[in-house]
Amino acid sequence: MKTEDNGNITAIHRSSRRPGTIYLEEKEKKTIPLQTRFTEKIRKTCSCSSKKAKDTLLSFLPVLQWLPKYKPKEYLLGDAMSGLIVAILLVPQSIAYSLLAGQEPIYGLYTSFFACIIYFLMGTSKHIHVGIFGVLCLMVGEIVDRELQAAGYDKLDDQRSQLSSMAGLIANETLDANQTSKMTCDRSCYAITVGATVTFMAGVYQVAMGVLQVGFVSVYLSDALLSGFATGASFTILTSQVKYLLGLSIPRANGIGSSICTWIYIFQNIHKTNICDLVTSIICLLVLVPAKELNECFKSKLKAPIPIELFVVVGATLASHFGHLKEKYGSSIAGEIPTGFLMPKPPEWGLIPNIALGALSIAIIGFAITVSLSEMFAKKHGYEVKANQEMYAIGFCNIIPSFFYCFTTSAALAKTLVKESTGCKTQVSGIITSLVLLLVLLVIAPLFYSLQKCVLGVITIVNLRGALRKFLDLPKMWKVNKVDTSIWLVTMFSSALVSTELGLLIGIVFSMLCVIVRSQKPGVTLLGRVEASDVYESMTVYKDLNTTKGVKVFRFEAPLYYVNKQCFKSTLYKYVGVDPVLVALAEKKAAKKKEKWQKKEGTADSSLTTMEVVQRLYQEQMPLHSVIIDCSAIQFIDTAGLNTLKEVLKDYDDIGVRVLLAQCSSCVRNSLRNGDYLKREEGTMVFHSIHQAVQFALYEQEQKDAFVNGSAV
């Protein structure tokens, strides 16, 4: 129990030890002037020494810390095995996801190669794989298609007819200077220019967030929101790949309702389906899906997953090459994939205003996924990752490769699980993966010339099984938490049916609204005492709890602030069963009746005062003398909430009911003290436990009854 005395919390009435009281005195806090703290912070930040320079370098390049401690005999075999297997799986997926991002296959291989090397140098997670991720490829692809349309490129023609049609387009239409400059680059060239610029800006955002140490923003993206977004985006990815499975040449829809528009285009052109591509897609599905399921079922027994995707790609490429499927049936193929590397090229600075907003959402999603996966596997294997360093790492995995014709990367769950299950020990496995990709880039890539695009589409769709299976978990999610399920559904449907970027924004806004609604309608209950103990629990949940005559214990399970202040007051009055406002109205009515009676009789009955009438009415209504508010679930109180608490105290005090607070956190106690709540003499009591408050309330009432009875005698 505490009260305020000249600004310092001190014990009250040390000589009168009443039941339920504990006397504590707070330590004196040393106040450091703001100028001194600011100067000290500047001095520490700006000071330079050899040790600080070394620490900065080691923290920026963690590889310098762990690589000298590398144990080849223990780690190399597992790292080599996992790196090789991931590379085998990564080659066909890199080519397939390039189409998703609106790029040529070679750029997907570039992206995977550079991301593995940079994360090896800067990453702190030993197990995650950083590379191409389907959802981010989709988001990049949407921006690329939007900019291609804005530049005047016609997506209805294939890549070979683009160049010939551009001459007529430029001759027949008047283009501004900006568009004319864009036409000097063909469609493939301009697409990777846009993709690289988006990647550069996403990396800049991520590094800036690392510098500002705002890694905490990821906590606002809940698991339900990220899962719903991934599932909705997976549906959009599936929609975008159907045209490859059917061999249709249709435009890629952008903007709001792009998935719906795409399905409309598909059904409008369904009669143009390429039978060869359709048959190939069905065969690949019949091979890939069962093989993937077998990998899942026997992953504990298999030392490494069966690289079925690579087998399918090799088999399909051979069948397409020797069967002359393009020449005979017009099947769409990957085309020429060059070897080697291109000269680095800076991003297109003029595009930055157009893609800045889209790059921000890509940056946030990429970082959130990377940090979530790195922390999950670090916790599982007992080591620590640094969120801000992960932001630096993923940021430079985007900034540097953007100069080498790459698009956005992040951690990828499927490949990360493969790395972990195949014996990965350190980031060296990423170097093994990059070496295999280098071999592909320098030698093997041209061999995929005849690979049908429908095979790549099937590989992409089959890899969406995990996200699409979330629908099966909905009944269980609904039982566990209805609010999280609602967030999942809203985010999923908005991402799938509206657009990917807007879907994420809608999900975040809806998630925040759910938090506000939860605080507006918090859990409230009356508490009862467990027999033969000093434990108090909810009377709506548990049976056979004891109540104390004349005392009500009320629990409010939310912060007390401006949003729910009225809810707090109304529910308190309702659950306690005594509304002091109504009692006050009864007082006024009694006063008016007495005044009328006095005028009518012409005499005043001095024995019947207004207060006596009120007390009689109140005692007949509810024999209550104390209200105890359990504050253990109140995280904080703002100014509006504090004023509400003062109003409640005053309203009940006016009718002779004590209001006691119990189990307040230090934050709440500080708010009470700073808001002058504790300067109300004996009227304000704060207790460390509910049982102490109940004991004190009973003791006070006994003293009061004894005084009244003594006066009567």
Side-chain angles (χ1 to χ4, degrees), residues 111-112 115-116 119 128-132 370 394 397 409-412 416 419:
T111 302
S112 298
C116 289
Y119 191 80
I128 68 168
H129 168 79
V130 172
I132 295 178
T370 302
I394 197 65
C397 280
T409 57
S410 74
T416 299
K419 280 185 69 172

Side-chain angles (χ1 to χ4, degrees), residues 431-444:
I431 287 294
I432 304 297
T433 300
S434 64
L435 291 175
V436 176
L437 291 174
L438 180 62
L439 178 65
V440 173
L441 283 166
L442 296 179
V443 180
I444 303 175

Side-chain angles (χ1 to χ4, degrees), residues 487-508:
I487 293 172
W488 189 93
L489 289 170
V490 169
T491 308
M492 187 276 297
F493 279 115
S494 57
S495 300
L497 303 179
V498 181
S499 73
T500 309
E501 294 177 1
L502 281 178
L504 176 62
L505 179 61
I506 291 171
I508 292 173

